[in-house]
PDB file of all heavy atoms in Angstrom:
ATOM      1  N   VAL X   1      50.027  78.894 138.344  1.00  0.00           N
ATOM      2  CA  VAL X   1      49.185  79.951 137.785  1.00  0.00           C
ATOM      3  C   VAL X   1      47.728  79.511 137.800  1.00  0.00           C
ATOM      4  O   VAL X   1      46.831  80.288 138.130  1.00  0.00           O
ATOM      5  CB  VAL X   1      49.656  80.318 136.353  1.00  0.00           C
ATOM      6  CG1 VAL X   1      48.643  81.209 135.663  1.00  0.00           C
ATOM      7  CG2 VAL X   1      51.014  80.981 136.407  1.00  0.00           C
ATOM      8  N   SER X   2      47.484  78.267 137.492  1.00  0.00           N
ATOM      9  CA  SER X   2      46.125  77.736 137.488  1.00  0.00           C
ATOM     10  C   SER X   2      45.521  77.791 138.895  1.00  0.00           C
ATOM     11  O   SER X   2      44.358  78.166 139.065  1.00  0.00           O
ATOM     12  CB  SER X   2      46.144  76.300 136.978  1.00  0.00           C
ATOM     13  OG  SER X   2      44.876  75.721 137.109  1.00  0.00           O
ATOM     14  N   ASP X   3      46.298  77.440 139.904  1.00  0.00           N
ATOM     15  CA  ASP X   3      45.817  77.502 141.295  1.00  0.00           C
ATOM     16  C   ASP X   3      45.501  78.934 141.700  1.00  0.00           C
ATOM     17  O   ASP X   3      44.472  79.200 142.334  1.00  0.00           O
ATOM     18  CB  ASP X   3      46.867  76.915 142.245  1.00  0.00           C
ATOM     19  CG  ASP X   3      46.988  75.408 142.121  1.00  0.00           C
ATOM     20  OD1 ASP X   3      46.096  74.789 141.486  1.00  0.00           O
ATOM     21  OD2 ASP X   3      47.967  74.853 142.663  1.00  0.00           O
ATOM     22  N   ARG X   4      46.384  79.866 141.343  1.00  0.00           N
ATOM     23  CA  ARG X   4      46.142  81.273 141.683  1.00  0.00           C
ATOM     24  C   ARG X   4      44.892  81.787 140.980  1.00  0.00           C
ATOM     25  O   ARG X   4      44.111  82.547 141.553  1.00  0.00           O
ATOM     26  CB  ARG X   4      47.361  82.129 141.342  1.00  0.00           C
ATOM     27  CG  ARG X   4      48.506  81.948 142.313  1.00  0.00           C
ATOM     28  CD  ARG X   4      49.550  83.042 142.146  1.00  0.00           C
ATOM     29  NE  ARG X   4      50.130  83.059 140.812  1.00  0.00           N
ATOM     30  CZ  ARG X   4      51.321  82.564 140.495  1.00  0.00           C
ATOM     31  NH1 ARG X   4      52.063  82.010 141.418  1.00  0.00           N
ATOM     32  NH2 ARG X   4      51.763  82.630 139.248  1.00  0.00           N
ATOM     33  N   LEU X   5      44.696  81.373 139.740  1.00  0.00           N
ATOM     34  CA  LEU X   5      43.512  81.776 138.995  1.00  0.00           C
ATOM     35  C   LEU X   5      42.246  81.230 139.664  1.00  0.00           C
ATOM     36  O   LEU X   5      41.256  81.950 139.808  1.00  0.00           O
ATOM     37  CB  LEU X   5      43.597  81.279 137.546  1.00  0.00           C
ATOM     38  CG  LEU X   5      42.389  81.586 136.663  1.00  0.00           C
ATOM     39  CD1 LEU X   5      42.219  83.097 136.511  1.00  0.00           C
ATOM     40  CD2 LEU X   5      42.535  80.926 135.313  1.00  0.00           C
ATOM     41  N   ALA X   6      42.288  79.988 140.092  1.00  0.00           N
ATOM     42  CA  ALA X   6      41.122  79.386 140.764  1.00  0.00           C
ATOM     43  C   ALA X   6      40.813  80.127 142.063  1.00  0.00           C
ATOM     44  O   ALA X   6      39.643  80.394 142.382  1.00  0.00           O
ATOM     45  CB  ALA X   6      41.375  77.909 141.039  1.00  0.00           C
ATOM     46  N   GLN X   7      41.844  80.477 142.809  1.00  0.00           N
ATOM     47  CA  GLN X   7      41.639  81.225 144.053  1.00  0.00           C
ATOM     48  C   GLN X   7      41.051  82.601 143.765  1.00  0.00           C
ATOM     49  O   GLN X   7      40.156  83.065 144.479  1.00  0.00           O
ATOM     50  CB  GLN X   7      42.952  81.360 144.818  1.00  0.00           C
ATOM     51  CG  GLN X   7      43.439  80.070 145.418  1.00  0.00           C
ATOM     52  CD  GLN X   7      44.832  80.213 146.030  1.00  0.00           C
ATOM     53  OE1 GLN X   7      45.494  81.234 145.866  1.00  0.00           O
ATOM     54  NE2 GLN X   7      45.271  79.178 146.736  1.00  0.00           N
ATOM     55  N   ALA X   8      41.552  83.258 142.726  1.00  0.00           N
ATOM     56  CA  ALA X   8      41.040  84.586 142.373  1.00  0.00           C
ATOM     57  C   ALA X   8      39.579  84.498 141.939  1.00  0.00           C
ATOM     58  O   ALA X   8      38.760  85.352 142.313  1.00  0.00           O
ATOM     59  CB  ALA X   8      41.888  85.196 141.262  1.00  0.00           C
ATOM     60  N   GLU X   9      39.237  83.473 141.172  1.00  0.00           N
ATOM     61  CA  GLU X   9      37.845  83.303 140.752  1.00  0.00           C
ATOM     62  C   GLU X   9      36.936  83.038 141.953  1.00  0.00           C
ATOM     63  O   GLU X   9      35.821  83.545 142.022  1.00  0.00           O
ATOM     64  CB  GLU X   9      37.741  82.153 139.745  1.00  0.00           C
ATOM     65  CG  GLU X   9      38.299  82.492 138.384  1.00  0.00           C
ATOM     66  CD  GLU X   9      38.315  81.295 137.445  1.00  0.00           C
ATOM     67  OE1 GLU X   9      38.094  80.156 137.893  1.00  0.00           O
ATOM     68  OE2 GLU X   9      38.561  81.523 136.240  1.00  0.00           O
ATOM     69  N   GLU X  10      37.424  82.266 142.895  1.00  0.00           N
ATOM     70  CA  GLU X  10      36.641  81.983 144.098  1.00  0.00           C
ATOM     71  C   GLU X  10      36.401  83.252 144.910  1.00  0.00           C
ATOM     72  O   GLU X  10      35.291  83.509 145.379  1.00  0.00           O
ATOM     73  CB  GLU X  10      37.376  80.940 144.947  1.00  0.00           C
ATOM     74  CG  GLU X  10      36.599  80.458 146.138  1.00  0.00           C
ATOM     75  CD  GLU X  10      37.347  79.373 146.892  1.00  0.00           C
ATOM     76  OE1 GLU X  10      37.885  78.460 146.243  1.00  0.00           O
ATOM     77  OE2 GLU X  10      37.377  79.466 148.128  1.00  0.00           O
ATOM     78  N   ARG X  11      37.437  84.079 145.058  1.00  0.00           N
ATOM     79  CA  ARG X  11      37.282  85.339 145.785  1.00  0.00           C
ATOM     80  C   ARG X  11      36.329  86.277 145.048  1.00  0.00           C
ATOM     81  O   ARG X  11      35.516  86.961 145.673  1.00  0.00           O
ATOM     82  CB  ARG X  11      38.645  86.012 145.985  1.00  0.00           C
ATOM     83  CG  ARG X  11      39.491  85.345 147.044  1.00  0.00           C
ATOM     84  CD  ARG X  11      40.678  86.207 147.448  1.00  0.00           C
ATOM     85  NE  ARG X  11      41.471  86.674 146.319  1.00  0.00           N
ATOM     86  CZ  ARG X  11      42.552  86.067 145.833  1.00  0.00           C
ATOM     87  NH1 ARG X  11      42.961  84.953 146.383  1.00  0.00           N
ATOM     88  NH2 ARG X  11      43.210  86.569 144.807  1.00  0.00           N
ATOM     89  N   ALA X  12      36.406  86.299 143.722  1.00  0.00           N
ATOM     90  CA  ALA X  12      35.510  87.159 142.936  1.00  0.00           C
ATOM     91  C   ALA X  12      34.063  86.711 143.080  1.00  0.00           C
ATOM     92  O   ALA X  12      33.160  87.543 143.236  1.00  0.00           O
ATOM     93  CB  ALA X  12      35.924  87.145 141.472  1.00  0.00           C
ATOM     94  N   ALA X  13      33.836  85.407 143.071  1.00  0.00           N
ATOM     95  CA  ALA X  13      32.473  84.892 143.231  1.00  0.00           C
ATOM     96  C   ALA X  13      31.932  85.227 144.617  1.00  0.00           C
ATOM     97  O   ALA X  13      30.765  85.614 144.765  1.00  0.00           O
ATOM     98  CB  ALA X  13      32.449  83.385 143.000  1.00  0.00           C
ATOM     99  N   ALA X  14      32.770  85.119 145.643  1.00  0.00           N
ATOM    100  CA  ALA X  14      32.343  85.458 147.007  1.00  0.00           C
ATOM    101  C   ALA X  14      32.014  86.946 147.104  1.00  0.00           C
ATOM    102  O   ALA X  14      31.019  87.340 147.739  1.00  0.00           O
ATOM    103  CB  ALA X  14      33.424  85.081 148.011  1.00  0.00           C
ATOM    104  N   ALA X  15      32.827  87.780 146.481  1.00  0.00           N
ATOM    105  CA  ALA X  15      32.570  89.221 146.506  1.00  0.00           C
ATOM    106  C   ALA X  15      31.273  89.552 145.775  1.00  0.00           C
ATOM    107  O   ALA X  15      30.498  90.415 146.217  1.00  0.00           O
ATOM    108  CB  ALA X  15      33.735  89.975 145.876  1.00  0.00           C
ATOM    109  N   GLU X  16      31.022  88.859 144.678  1.00  0.00           N
ATOM    110  CA  GLU X  16      29.782  89.090 143.932  1.00  0.00           C
ATOM    111  C   GLU X  16      28.564  88.682 144.762  1.00  0.00           C
ATOM    112  O   GLU X  16      27.565  89.401 144.786  1.00  0.00           O
ATOM    113  CB  GLU X  16      29.820  88.290 142.624  1.00  0.00           C
ATOM    114  CG  GLU X  16      28.664  88.604 141.708  1.00  0.00           C
ATOM    115  CD  GLU X  16      28.784  87.879 140.376  1.00  0.00           C
ATOM    116  OE1 GLU X  16      29.902  87.528 139.970  1.00  0.00           O
ATOM    117  OE2 GLU X  16      27.731  87.672 139.755  1.00  0.00           O
ATOM    118  N   ARG X  17      28.656  87.550 145.463  1.00  0.00           N
ATOM    119  CA  ARG X  17      27.543  87.128 146.327  1.00  0.00           C
ATOM    120  C   ARG X  17      27.293  88.148 147.433  1.00  0.00           C
ATOM    121  O   ARG X  17      26.158  88.471 147.762  1.00  0.00           O
ATOM    122  CB  ARG X  17      27.843  85.753 146.936  1.00  0.00           C
ATOM    123  CG  ARG X  17      27.652  84.596 145.980  1.00  0.00           C
ATOM    124  CD  ARG X  17      27.684  83.262 146.705  1.00  0.00           C
ATOM    125  NE  ARG X  17      28.902  83.046 147.475  1.00  0.00           N
ATOM    126  CZ  ARG X  17      30.018  82.488 147.012  1.00  0.00           C
ATOM    127  NH1 ARG X  17      30.081  82.091 145.767  1.00  0.00           N
ATOM    128  NH2 ARG X  17      31.062  82.329 147.800  1.00  0.00           N
ATOM    129  N   ARG X  18      28.395  88.688 148.003  1.00  0.00           N
ATOM    130  CA  ARG X  18      28.252  89.710 149.048  1.00  0.00           C
ATOM    131  C   ARG X  18      27.571  90.952 148.492  1.00  0.00           C
ATOM    132  O   ARG X  18      26.686  91.535 149.121  1.00  0.00           O
ATOM    133  CB  ARG X  18      29.623  90.078 149.612  1.00  0.00           C
ATOM    134  CG  ARG X  18      29.902  89.486 150.953  1.00  0.00           C
ATOM    135  CD  ARG X  18      31.130  90.075 151.646  1.00  0.00           C
ATOM    136  NE  ARG X  18      32.237  90.464 150.792  1.00  0.00           N
ATOM    137  CZ  ARG X  18      33.220  89.664 150.394  1.00  0.00           C
ATOM    138  NH1 ARG X  18      33.228  88.410 150.758  1.00  0.00           N
ATOM    139  NH2 ARG X  18      34.196  90.118 149.640  1.00  0.00           N
ATOM    140  N   ALA X  19      27.981  91.368 147.305  1.00  0.00           N
ATOM    141  CA  ALA X  19      27.407  92.572 146.692  1.00  0.00           C
ATOM    142  C   ALA X  19      25.913  92.379 146.418  1.00  0.00           C
ATOM    143  O   ALA X  19      25.097  93.270 146.701  1.00  0.00           O
ATOM    144  CB  ALA X  19      28.136  92.910 145.405  1.00  0.00           C
ATOM    145  N   VAL X  20      25.542  91.216 145.906  1.00  0.00           N
ATOM    146  CA  VAL X  20      24.125  90.933 145.642  1.00  0.00           C
ATOM    147  C   VAL X  20      23.349  90.933 146.950  1.00  0.00           C
ATOM    148  O   VAL X  20      22.245  91.487 147.042  1.00  0.00           O
ATOM    149  CB  VAL X  20      23.974  89.592 144.892  1.00  0.00           C
ATOM    150  CG1 VAL X  20      22.525  89.141 144.862  1.00  0.00           C
ATOM    151  CG2 VAL X  20      24.513  89.719 143.483  1.00  0.00           C
ATOM    152  N   ARG X  21      23.928  90.332 147.983  1.00  0.00           N
ATOM    153  CA  ARG X  21      23.255  90.279 149.285  1.00  0.00           C
ATOM    154  C   ARG X  21      23.012  91.690 149.831  1.00  0.00           C
ATOM    155  O   ARG X  21      21.910  92.012 150.283  1.00  0.00           O
ATOM    156  CB  ARG X  21      24.097  89.464 150.263  1.00  0.00           C
ATOM    157  CG  ARG X  21      23.401  89.248 151.589  1.00  0.00           C
ATOM    158  CD  ARG X  21      24.182  88.356 152.529  1.00  0.00           C
ATOM    159  NE  ARG X  21      25.403  88.995 152.974  1.00  0.00           N
ATOM    160  CZ  ARG X  21      26.621  88.516 152.779  1.00  0.00           C
ATOM    161  NH1 ARG X  21      26.799  87.400 152.141  1.00  0.00           N
ATOM    162  NH2 ARG X  21      27.669  89.158 153.232  1.00  0.00           N
ATOM    163  N   PHE X  22      24.029  92.559 149.749  1.00  0.00           N
ATOM    164  CA  PHE X  22      23.867  93.923 150.244  1.00  0.00           C
ATOM    165  C   PHE X  22      22.882  94.717 149.389  1.00  0.00           C
ATOM    166  O   PHE X  22      22.116  95.537 149.898  1.00  0.00           O
ATOM    167  CB  PHE X  22      25.217  94.641 150.332  1.00  0.00           C
ATOM    168  CG  PHE X  22      26.079  94.133 151.453  1.00  0.00           C
ATOM    169  CD1 PHE X  22      27.383  93.744 151.209  1.00  0.00           C
ATOM    170  CD2 PHE X  22      25.589  94.026 152.739  1.00  0.00           C
ATOM    171  CE1 PHE X  22      28.173  93.262 152.238  1.00  0.00           C
ATOM    172  CE2 PHE X  22      26.374  93.550 153.775  1.00  0.00           C
ATOM    173  CZ  PHE X  22      27.666  93.160 153.526  1.00  0.00           C
ATOM    174  N   GLU X  23      22.913  94.479 148.106  1.00  0.00           N
ATOM    175  CA  GLU X  23      21.973  95.153 147.209  1.00  0.00           C
ATOM    176  C   GLU X  23      20.531  94.779 147.558  1.00  0.00           C
ATOM    177  O   GLU X  23      19.658  95.645 147.657  1.00  0.00           O
ATOM    178  CB  GLU X  23      22.281  94.758 145.765  1.00  0.00           C
ATOM    179  CG  GLU X  23      21.356  95.370 144.738  1.00  0.00           C
ATOM    180  CD  GLU X  23      21.674  94.864 143.341  1.00  0.00           C
ATOM    181  OE1 GLU X  23      22.865  94.754 143.005  1.00  0.00           O
ATOM    182  OE2 GLU X  23      20.716  94.578 142.604  1.00  0.00           O
ATOM    183  N   ILE X  24      20.289  93.508 147.769  1.00  0.00           N
ATOM    184  CA  ILE X  24      18.942  93.052 148.109  1.00  0.00           C
ATOM    185  C   ILE X  24      18.544  93.565 149.487  1.00  0.00           C
ATOM    186  O   ILE X  24      17.404  93.998 149.699  1.00  0.00           O
ATOM    187  CB  ILE X  24      18.864  91.520 148.036  1.00  0.00           C
ATOM    188  CG1 ILE X  24      18.987  91.067 146.579  1.00  0.00           C
ATOM    189  CG2 ILE X  24      17.575  90.994 148.641  1.00  0.00           C
ATOM    190  CD1 ILE X  24      19.115  89.573 146.391  1.00  0.00           C
ATOM    191  N   ALA X  25      19.473  93.558 150.430  1.00  0.00           N
ATOM    192  CA  ALA X  25      19.175  94.045 151.775  1.00  0.00           C
ATOM    193  C   ALA X  25      18.804  95.522 151.748  1.00  0.00           C
ATOM    194  O   ALA X  25      17.861  95.949 152.428  1.00  0.00           O
ATOM    195  CB  ALA X  25      20.368  93.817 152.695  1.00  0.00           C
ATOM    196  N   SER X  26      19.504  96.321 150.948  1.00  0.00           N
ATOM    197  CA  SER X  26      19.176  97.743 150.881  1.00  0.00           C
ATOM    198  C   SER X  26      17.872  97.960 150.111  1.00  0.00           C
ATOM    199  O   SER X  26      17.108  98.873 150.426  1.00  0.00           O
ATOM    200  CB  SER X  26      20.316  98.535 150.244  1.00  0.00           C
ATOM    201  OG  SER X  26      20.483  98.159 148.900  1.00  0.00           O
ATOM    202  N   GLU X  27      17.608  97.129 149.125  1.00  0.00           N
ATOM    203  CA  GLU X  27      16.368  97.249 148.349  1.00  0.00           C
ATOM    204  C   GLU X  27      15.138  97.048 149.239  1.00  0.00           C
ATOM    205  O   GLU X  27      14.134  97.735 149.104  1.00  0.00           O
ATOM    206  CB  GLU X  27      16.370  96.198 147.235  1.00  0.00           C
ATOM    207  CG  GLU X  27      15.128  96.178 146.375  1.00  0.00           C
ATOM    208  CD  GLU X  27      15.205  95.078 145.317  1.00  0.00           C
ATOM    209  OE1 GLU X  27      16.317  94.755 144.857  1.00  0.00           O
ATOM    210  OE2 GLU X  27      14.136  94.556 144.968  1.00  0.00           O
ATOM    211  N   PHE X  28      15.244  96.111 150.190  1.00  0.00           N
ATOM    212  CA  PHE X  28      14.113  95.820 151.074  1.00  0.00           C
ATOM    213  C   PHE X  28      14.250  96.512 152.428  1.00  0.00           C
ATOM    214  O   PHE X  28      13.466  96.253 153.340  1.00  0.00           O
ATOM    215  CB  PHE X  28      13.975  94.306 151.277  1.00  0.00           C
ATOM    216  CG  PHE X  28      13.445  93.591 150.071  1.00  0.00           C
ATOM    217  CD1 PHE X  28      14.304  93.035 149.147  1.00  0.00           C
ATOM    218  CD2 PHE X  28      12.086  93.493 149.857  1.00  0.00           C
ATOM    219  CE1 PHE X  28      13.821  92.374 148.034  1.00  0.00           C
ATOM    220  CE2 PHE X  28      11.588  92.841 148.754  1.00  0.00           C
ATOM    221  CZ  PHE X  28      12.460  92.276 147.828  1.00  0.00           C
ATOM    222  N   SER X  29      15.239  97.380 152.599  1.00  0.00           N
ATOM    223  CA  SER X  29      15.486  98.137 153.831  1.00  0.00           C
ATOM    224  C   SER X  29      15.582  97.209 155.046  1.00  0.00           C
ATOM    225  O   SER X  29      14.949  97.434 156.076  1.00  0.00           O
ATOM    226  CB  SER X  29      14.384  99.175 154.065  1.00  0.00           C
ATOM    227  OG  SER X  29      14.305 100.056 152.980  1.00  0.00           O
ATOM    228  N   LEU X  30      16.412  96.194 154.916  1.00  0.00           N
ATOM    229  CA  LEU X  30      16.585  95.246 156.010  1.00  0.00           C
ATOM    230  C   LEU X  30      17.600  95.771 157.020  1.00  0.00           C
ATOM    231  O   LEU X  30      18.508  96.522 156.673  1.00  0.00           O
ATOM    232  CB  LEU X  30      17.069  93.903 155.472  1.00  0.00           C
ATOM    233  CG  LEU X  30      16.141  93.154 154.529  1.00  0.00           C
ATOM    234  CD1 LEU X  30      16.793  91.853 154.087  1.00  0.00           C
ATOM    235  CD2 LEU X  30      14.803  92.872 155.179  1.00  0.00           C
ATOM    236  N   THR X  31      17.440  95.349 158.251  1.00  0.00           N
ATOM    237  CA  THR X  31      18.442  95.675 159.263  1.00  0.00           C
ATOM    238  C   THR X  31      19.671  94.806 159.007  1.00  0.00           C
ATOM    239  O   THR X  31      19.618  93.833 158.259  1.00  0.00           O
ATOM    240  CB  THR X  31      17.899  95.389 160.675  1.00  0.00           C
ATOM    241  OG1 THR X  31      17.654  93.981 160.788  1.00  0.00           O
ATOM    242  CG2 THR X  31      16.632  96.153 160.960  1.00  0.00           C
ATOM    243  N   SER X  32      20.767  95.144 159.654  1.00  0.00           N
ATOM    244  CA  SER X  32      21.993  94.367 159.428  1.00  0.00           C
ATOM    245  C   SER X  32      21.827  92.929 159.912  1.00  0.00           C
ATOM    246  O   SER X  32      22.370  91.998 159.305  1.00  0.00           O
ATOM    247  CB  SER X  32      23.180  95.031 160.120  1.00  0.00           C
ATOM    248  OG  SER X  32      22.966  95.093 161.513  1.00  0.00           O
ATOM    249  N   ASP X  33      21.087  92.724 161.006  1.00  0.00           N
ATOM    250  CA  ASP X  33      20.849  91.360 161.489  1.00  0.00           C
ATOM    251  C   ASP X  33      20.028  90.561 160.487  1.00  0.00           C
ATOM    252  O   ASP X  33      20.304  89.388 160.240  1.00  0.00           O
ATOM    253  CB  ASP X  33      20.139  91.373 162.839  1.00  0.00           C
ATOM    254  CG  ASP X  33      21.028  91.870 163.959  1.00  0.00           C
ATOM    255  OD1 ASP X  33      22.261  91.768 163.813  1.00  0.00           O
ATOM    256  OD2 ASP X  33      20.490  92.348 164.975  1.00  0.00           O
ATOM    257  N   ASP X  34      19.009  91.199 159.900  1.00  0.00           N
ATOM    258  CA  ASP X  34      18.195  90.512 158.895  1.00  0.00           C
ATOM    259  C   ASP X  34      19.013  90.240 157.635  1.00  0.00           C
ATOM    260  O   ASP X  34      18.856  89.206 156.990  1.00  0.00           O
ATOM    261  CB  ASP X  34      16.947  91.328 158.552  1.00  0.00           C
ATOM    262  CG  ASP X  34      15.915  91.310 159.680  1.00  0.00           C
ATOM    263  OD1 ASP X  34      16.037  90.467 160.582  1.00  0.00           O
ATOM    264  OD2 ASP X  34      14.996  92.150 159.650  1.00  0.00           O
TER     265      ASP X  34
END
């Protein structure tokens, strides 16, 4: 259970980083390459 929890937390952190990245990219109107 502890291992599954650690994996879930890691996936959640990665998803949060992706969301922040997309939010910032849209805020500055960046192209997908940028």
Side-chain angles (χ1 to χ4, degrees):
V1 169
S2 173
D3 289 347
R4 286 194 300 258
L5 178 63
Q7 289 173 351
E9 287 174 349
E10 186 177 315
R11 285 193 309 266
E16 187 176 335
R17 283 192 304 271
R18 256 192 326 273
V20 168
R21 186 176 68 240
F22 288 128
E23 179 183 318
I24 291 172
S26 65
E27 178 181 329
F28 287 94
S29 302
L30 297 179
T31 64
S32 61
D33 290 336
D34 288 345

